[in-house]
Amino acid sequence: MARGVYIHIPFCHQICNYCDFNKFYFKNQPVDEYIEALGKEMALVTKKYPEHFRNIETIFLGGGTPTALSPEQLDKLLTYIHAYIPMSSVKEFTSEANPDELSAAKLQVLFDGGVNRLSMGVQSFDQGLLQKIGRTHSNEHVYETIALAKQHGFHNISIDLMYGLPGQTMAQWLDSLEKAFALDLPHFSAYSLIVEPKTIFYNQYAKGKLHLPTEDLEADMYDVLMQEMSLHGLQQYEISNFAKPGFHSEHNKIYWDNDEYAGFGAGAHGYLAGIRYSNHGPLKKYMDAVFAEELPIVHEHEVTQAEKREEQMFLGLRKTEGVMHSIYEEKFNEPMNAQYEQVIEKLESEGLLEHDERGIRLTRKGRFVGNEVFQQFLLED
């Protein structure tokens, strides 16, 4: 049974230098036809798996940039969503947004269409760093847009921040955190820069032209992040996410709980009926398939029981509550120690994991090397 729905809007008015998601410049793209194709894909998938869409808890509009669409295009998209996704059990409906694209008209369309959470890509409050990473908004855009969103009834608002950016200093990071806290928002996500292939930054890095903070400075930035979030009353509930009580991202928790979700759109990924799949990325291939009444899937993989166990561990350990013994045993009909006793003991002895009668979780030390810990749970067959 799917718990969530992800819908990919791959259009941007500006391409960020670090972004490796499936995206296209908005200008001269078949945006209206793409939205129609999304409606057709939703119709095809919900018809094929009707039983998987009975208890959808979350919907997430991601990208790209959903707010690159016009108010009319957003309204059409939301009409399709309401036509094909049962809304009665949906408790969280998020849209990603750029601070310089959210007009009053778009906010009204989103609010009227049931969106009740905004996730805004701020990244930094330093204008020089914003230019380096390819962002076009200003701090004034952020302040004005958040105020406007609150006026339109949006109170569940999150912003993304980034650290480890090219040339970023600790003073710049502290200043961004201070300005972020002044907004008095209930949720923050904060990510270290990862230089991904097929990005502008990757090309610069390969040429030796991308000057990044040292690993020690990046670790110090993460340490400061955790301290400051705690001091400002925000609970760290996942490696990169912090919230006031009651404002956790329910959609992202579906991923970390290793539960199923549907993915719609060009380049979208999903996990339905035990199968992980990805759609065609190129717009033409995606739309040609859908308009031919075919699912636009380019790759699918039936997840084995061993892979499900591994995913349960390395996804669940991203959460500060960790992996619960009761949930693991309910899913796999065996205790966690049946597969992972030696791994857990080793990581505990290194001070990277801790456990109690409820489950296992990363220690504070373990959060700094999370990926190295997760790799320990990828057992050889």
Side-chain angles (χ1 to χ4, degrees):
M1 296 283 284
R3 285 179 57 197
V5 168
Y6 173 82
I7 299 168
H8 192 69
I9 309 299
F11 305 112
C12 297
H13 292 296
Q14 173 68 28
I15 303 296
C16 298
N17 296 344
Y18 55 83
C19 179
D20 70 330
F21 294 119
N22 194 46
K23 75 279 183 187
F24 307 92
Y25 279 112
F26 189 93
K27 191 175 181 180
N28 298 322
Q29 296 293 347
V31 180
D32 293 312
E33 293 86 347
Y34 179 79
I35 294 171
E36 184 182 348
L38 275 172
K40 287 188 174 292
E41 186 191 5
M42 289 182 217
L44 288 169
V45 176
T46 54
K47 182 179 180 180
K48 181 176 181 180
Y49 299 104
E51 71 281 3
H52 285 268
F53 288 86
R54 290 176 182 162
N55 295 295
I56 297 298
E57 300 173 20
T58 70
I59 301 173
F60 194 102
L61 305 181
T65 318
T67 52
L69 304 181
S70 69
E72 295 75 21
Q73 289 165 337
L74 282 170
D75 186 61
K76 187 66 174 177
L77 171 63
L78 290 163
T79 299
Y80 282 131
I81 293 171
H82 281 265
Y84 296 112
I85 307 300
M87 303 295 291
S88 60
S89 55
V90 173
K91 55 187 176 183
E92 180 186 276
F93 191 164
T94 302
S95 177
E96 290 184 340
N98 276 347
D100 52 348
E101 292 177 348
L102 262 181
S103 64
K106 292 180 186 181
L107 283 163
Q108 194 62 57
V109 168
L110 290 170
F111 188 81
D112 291 344
V115 175
N116 58 17
R117 182 175 184 270
L118 297 175
S119 178
M120 200 173 299
V122 172
Q123 318 309 1
S124 176
F125 285 89
D126 184 282
Q127 201 63 49
L129 286 175
L130 288 173
Q131 291 173 356
K132 279 186 182 180
I133 65 178
R135 303 292 287 177
T136 57
H137 69 266
S138 66
N139 290 355
E140 287 68 31
H141 284 129
V142 176
Y143 304 142
E144 292 169 4
T145 301
I146 288 176
L148 190 62
K150 289 179 178 179
Q151 290 173 21
H152 280 78
F154 289 98
H155 299 290
N156 192 353
I157 301 173
S158 175
I159 64 171
D160 288 354
L161 299 171
M162 294 183 71
Y163 59 96
L165 298 174
Q168 187 179 29
T169 65
M170 180 63 82
Q172 288 172 316
W173 179 228
L174 287 167
D175 182 66
S176 279
L177 288 174
E178 182 181 352
K179 288 182 168 66
F181 293 134
L183 296 170
D184 191 28
L185 298 177
H187 190 284
F188 296 94
S189 298
Y191 305 101
S192 64
L193 173 68
I194 299 175
V195 180
E196 300 282 8
K198 301 180 181 179
T199 64
I200 294 170
F201 273 172
Y202 186 83
N203 294 333
Q204 292 177 358
Y205 184 77
K207 296 175 183 177
K209 296 181 178 180
L210 190 69
H211 303 294
L212 301 174
T214 64
E215 288 185 6
D216 286 345
L217 177 54
E218 186 177 315
D220 288 343
M221 288 177 172
Y222 184 53
D223 191 33
V224 164
L225 169 70
M226 290 190 289
Q227 292 179 42
E228 290 296 315
M229 287 289 173
S230 179
L231 286 172
H232 286 82
L234 293 138
Q235 176 198 28
Q236 183 174 17
Y237 69 99
E238 189 267 347
I239 284 180
S240 303
N241 285 271
F242 306 80
K244 294 180 180 178
F247 288 94
H248 294 187
S249 170
E250 297 299 326
H251 184 80
N252 285 338
K253 283 169 69 176
I254 292 172
Y255 304 145
W256 305 323
D257 289 342
N258 197 29
D259 288 337
E260 296 193 349
Y261 61 95
F264 296 107
H269 293 248
Y271 182 24
L272 277 178
I275 294 173
R276 291 198 181 274
Y277 65 90
S278 56
N279 284 347
H280 286 291
L283 293 180
K284 187 176 187 304
K285 287 188 175 182
Y286 168 78
M287 292 192 293
D288 282 352
V290 171
F291 287 130
E293 303 291 324
E294 299 172 359
L295 294 180
I297 294 173
V298 66
H299 180 263
E300 56 185 2
H301 170 71
E302 185 172 354
V303 183
T304 66
Q305 194 73 354
E307 289 169 333
K308 288 179 182 178
R309 285 196 297 264
E310 292 172 354
E311 292 170 354
Q312 190 74 23
M313 299 305 294
F314 69 72
L315 291 170
L317 282 171
R318 292 192 63 88
K319 300 179 293 182
T320 52
E321 73 174 11
V323 182
M324 300 292 100
H325 290 304
S326 59
I327 294 174
Y328 185 96
E329 291 180 18
E330 181 181 343
K331 282 191 173 185
F332 304 110
N333 296 314
E334 65 180 22
M336 210 181 293
N337 279 349
Q339 299 289 332
Y340 297 112
E341 182 175 13
Q342 292 182 348
V343 174
I344 292 170
E345 288 180 354
K346 174 178 177 292
L347 292 168
E348 274 192 295
S349 70
E350 295 171 356
L352 303 176
L353 277 187
E354 62 184 18
H355 83 278
D356 55 25
E357 68 279 359
R358 295 179 65 244
I360 68 167
R361 63 199 61 84
L362 292 177
T363 60
R364 194 178 193 282
K365 176 183 175 182
R367 293 175 202 167
F368 287 88
V369 289
N371 288 335
E372 296 173 25
V373 175
F374 305 152
Q375 289 174 7
Q376 301 297 309
F377 291 91
L378 302 179
L379 301 179
E380 292 183 8
D381 190 355

